[in-house]
Amino acid sequence: MFEQAFKNIDDALRKEAGCTTELDYTEQSSWVLFLKYLDDLEAERATRAELEGKPYNYIIDDAHRWSKWAAPKTAKGELDRDHALTGDDLIAYVNDELFPYLRGFKQRASDPHTIEYKIGQIFSEIKPKFNSGYNLHDVLEFTDELEFGSQDAKHEMSDLYEVKIKRMGNAGRNGGEYYTPRPLIRAMIKVIDPKIGETIYDGAVGSAGFLCEAFEYMRPNAKSTRDLETLQKRTFSGVEKKSLAYVIGIMNMILHGIEAPDIVHDNSLGRSLTDIQPRDQKDVILANPPFGGSERREIQQNFPIRTSETAYLFLQHFMKMLKPGGRAAVVIKNTFLSNGDAAALRKELLSTCNLHTVLDCPQGTFQGAGVKTVVLFFEKGAPTRDIWYYQLDPGRSLGKTTALTDADFEEFVRLAAKRTDSAKSWSVNAADLDQASFDMSVKNPNKNDEVVYREPEDIIDEMIALDAESADILQSIRGLL
């Protein structure tokens, strides 16, 4: 229904000199989509209030409402081209009047958990990049064709927005940090099986894929208005360090139906573990912290096991943020299972949590990442006794056109319920691990050694990704000098 409108928006953005990458396209279309969504939301609330005989106070004042500047209408409800801003007038209005007004909500809002505060946060993080008012006018006109009134419409637009996020992720490594394959996320959620009333947290939100998919998983179980309110306001929370990812994450959650996402723009690792109190802890943690990277020395001081590896710091953060009895599923590089610099962290994880499942993901799960990953499933409060491993094998080389699907995870989800041994799965007693190194390497005892020849394109992609990762690490080291 709206696919053509999204295509037209992208085509208009590609003509804009101020937008040069997929990241720019997603960022700039996000703030426009948000304002159209907000206008439709306010119209819906105003109609509901009128039917109930109650007054409605608009969030956006009349002078800055979508119907005033972006898409004024004639008496017949058609776009009033004579009164619509365009050209330099439109650029001047957006840059000098609209954005300052919207940023001001951050100071005017009474509560950081309101949609008013989120408006201020979003527009404090984004800068309009349009140089041509004519291109912006085209984007506004195509966006005005979208309607957010029905649940079906919101669902379709959330799917289309996910496509934009995926395309952004595949366009470059910086975008890829935000994108985790949705079939993998859905499999992790099915195994964790969150319930309404539980709190769910992601300290490395990115595009909020985990929180959005968890909401989709739990929403059918909402049997009352109270359940829906619990999902909307008291279930999901997260933190994101990067500005663009923060904005995209909020927009993604809004399009999935969460009106005022509880996402904070901050660095989760900047908080000392000693400052995390029981009231801060969550029932469920779902996350994919960034691959590689490093943190400054002052950040490392916040953790008992000090390391420059970002993912290892995140794992300590998640272990602390989890309530006793809480459940977590965390993506991490497979080198965590055996690297010497992670031995102390492995010991801490095994002694304080029940690491009951390790999902070994195949090469190519993350397009362009150049690293293999595993998913750690653990519960806090009791030491690990047995670890159940599952080696995911889709039976094909993974690439852009052969990515993982939900069907690839069906056996894993089924066997994980009882941690059943099979040709692809086996169990290891924690007491049998080397008690000095706590090496947990994936070694399938049911699989014969065989040589698997990889496609040349996959090898080249991995080399490029590894070069990019090395450059990032060197740049981080330079920043520490």
Side-chain angles (χ1 to χ4, degrees):
M1 182 165 54
F2 301 125
E3 188 172 359
Q4 186 58 48
F6 265 69
K7 184 179 183 301
N8 290 339
I9 291 169
D10 284 346
D11 288 343
L13 283 164
R14 290 189 179 95
K15 298 174 186 175
E16 172 55 48
C19 301
T20 58
T21 68
E22 288 287 351
L23 276 69
D24 291 334
Y25 304 153
T26 304
E27 177 189 50
Q28 296 303 299
S29 60
S30 291
W31 71 258
V32 177
L33 283 168
F34 177 79
L35 292 178
K36 178 59 168 71
Y37 163 84
L38 188 60
D39 191 67
D40 285 2
L41 176 66
E42 294 232 76
E44 182 183 329
R45 287 179 173 180
T47 301
R48 189 187 310 146
E50 184 179 358
L51 292 173
E52 295 173 353
K54 300 177 182 178
Y56 177 72
N57 296 318
Y58 279 85
I59 298 170
I60 305 296
D61 66 23
D62 183 67
H64 299 94
R65 214 162 291 159
W66 177 271
S67 56
K68 186 78 172 184
W69 68 272
K73 299 294 197 301
T74 64
K76 296 181 179 180
E78 299 172 346
L79 186 66
D80 188 349
R81 300 182 187 279
D82 293 333
H83 292 89
L85 291 173
T86 189
D88 293 341
D89 290 341
L90 179 57
I91 295 297
Y93 169 77
V94 169
N95 291 348
D96 302 333
E97 188 172 339
L98 179 64
F99 265 65
Y101 165 76
L102 295 170
R103 287 167 181 152
F105 274 99
K106 193 172 182 179
Q107 285 71 46
R108 296 192 295 269
S110 58
D111 186 338
H113 297 292
T114 61
I115 193 168
E116 288 88 347
Y117 188 84
K118 295 302 174 187
I119 292 170
Q121 275 194 317
I122 288 171
F123 287 91
S124 294
E125 301 296 340
I126 287 182
K127 292 182 179 179
K129 294 183 178 179
F130 287 91
N131 293 332
S132 167
Y134 298 102
N135 286 335
L136 176 54
H137 180 267
D138 288 344
V139 170
L140 296 173
E141 187 171 343
F142 294 132
T143 303
D144 193 57
E145 298 174 11
L146 304 173
E147 297 291 341
F148 291 81
S150 70
Q151 195 58 49
D152 286 344
K154 289 178 182 177
H155 185 75
E156 181 183 353
M157 275 187 278
S158 68
D159 286 346
L160 290 169
Y161 193 69
E162 284 281 0
V163 172
K164 289 179 72 67
I165 294 171
K166 182 176 182 179
R167 196 162 61 232
M168 180 191 74
N170 292 340
R173 190 171 183 275
N174 289 333
E177 289 177 8
Y178 315 147
Y179 190 80
T180 306
R182 276 23 181 185
L184 173 59
I185 291 178
R186 288 191 284 268
M188 292 165 65
I189 292 170
K190 288 174 185 176
V191 172
I192 292 292
D193 190 25
K195 302 291 193 295
I196 293 177
E198 292 185 317
T199 51
I200 301 174
Y201 172 75
D202 182 353
V205 161
S207 63
F210 284 98
L211 301 184
C212 291
E213 290 293 345
F215 177 73
E216 294 292 338
Y217 179 84
M218 299 168 74
R219 184 165 54 182
N221 297 321
K223 305 302 181 184
S224 65
T225 302
R226 184 175 181 180
D227 286 348
L228 284 171
E229 185 178 348
T230 296
L231 281 179
Q232 280 275 355
K233 299 180 179 179
R234 295 184 290 276
T235 300
F236 306 100
S237 63
V239 181
E240 174 52 44
K241 178 180 178 180
K242 296 187 176 181
S243 297
L244 176 55
Y246 166 77
V247 171
I248 289 171
I250 285 184
M251 187 65 204
N252 202 17
M253 291 183 73
I254 286 172
L255 286 176
H256 277 81
I258 303 169
E259 292 180 3
D262 184 13
I263 306 299
V264 177
H265 183 208
D266 201 358
N267 183 0
S268 302
L269 305 180
R271 186 179 188 184
S272 173
L273 293 196
T274 58
D275 292 338
I276 297 174
Q277 303 300 313
R279 66 177 178 272
D280 303 318
Q281 294 175 324
K282 309 297 179 181
D283 297 297
V284 172
I285 290 176
L286 300 162
N288 172 24
F291 300 154
S294 60
E295 289 289 345
R296 302 185 308 274
R297 289 190 183 91
E298 59 266 31
I299 296 292
Q300 297 176 36
Q301 302 299 317
N302 293 327
F303 298 87
I305 301 174
R306 294 174 185 172
T307 171
S308 62
E309 170 58 56
T310 303
Y312 297 173
L313 298 178
F314 266 110
L315 186 55
Q316 293 180 71
H317 173 76
F318 295 142
M319 290 161 62
K320 182 68 175 181
M321 281 294 294
L322 203 58
K323 285 182 179 180
R327 312 182 304 288
V330 179
V331 180
I332 199 165
K333 286 194 294 187
N334 73 338
T335 51
F336 165 76
L337 300 178
S338 58
N339 273 10
D341 62 354
L345 184 52
R346 288 194 295 271
K347 180 180 179 180
E348 180 69 13
L349 176 63
L350 294 170
S351 62
T352 62
C353 299
N354 175 24
L355 176 64
H356 56 79
T357 299
V358 173
L359 169 63
D360 181 40
C361 298
Q363 187 79 37
T365 296
F366 290 84
Q367 292 180 26
V371 296
K372 282 199 65 178
T373 56
V374 294
V375 183
L376 308 177
F377 294 83
F378 55 92
E379 299 172 357
K380 183 174 177 178
T384 302
R385 293 187 177 181
D386 295 291
I387 307 170
W388 182 74
Y389 290 82
Y390 183 90
Q391 198 162 47
L392 187 67
D393 181 8
R396 64 185 185 279
S397 295
L398 299 178
K400 291 181 181 180
T401 59
T402 55
L404 289 169
T405 67
D406 289 300
D408 292 321
F409 291 94
E410 287 178 356
E411 182 184 71
F412 163 67
V413 173
R414 185 177 71 253
L415 297 182
K418 295 184 178 179
R419 296 165 200 158
T420 305
D421 288 353
S422 69
K424 298 179 183 178
S425 58
W426 66 97
S427 297
V428 173
N429 191 302
D432 294 335
L433 297 175
D434 184 296
Q435 297 302 296
S437 67
F438 296 94
D439 189 317
M440 299 189 296
S441 301
V442 177
K443 300 172 184 174
N444 187 349
N446 306 320
K447 188 174 183 180
N448 295 326
D449 291 335
E450 57 184 63
V451 177
V452 178
Y453 295 100
R454 296 166 58 197
E455 295 294 329
E457 182 181 352
D458 295 337
I459 296 172
I460 293 171
D461 285 345
E462 181 177 356
M463 292 171 65
I464 293 171
L466 288 171
D467 284 344
E469 184 174 348
S470 297
D472 282 353
I473 293 171
L474 290 172
Q475 189 63 35
S476 299
I477 293 172
R478 180 193 294 272
L480 297 173
L481 296 177

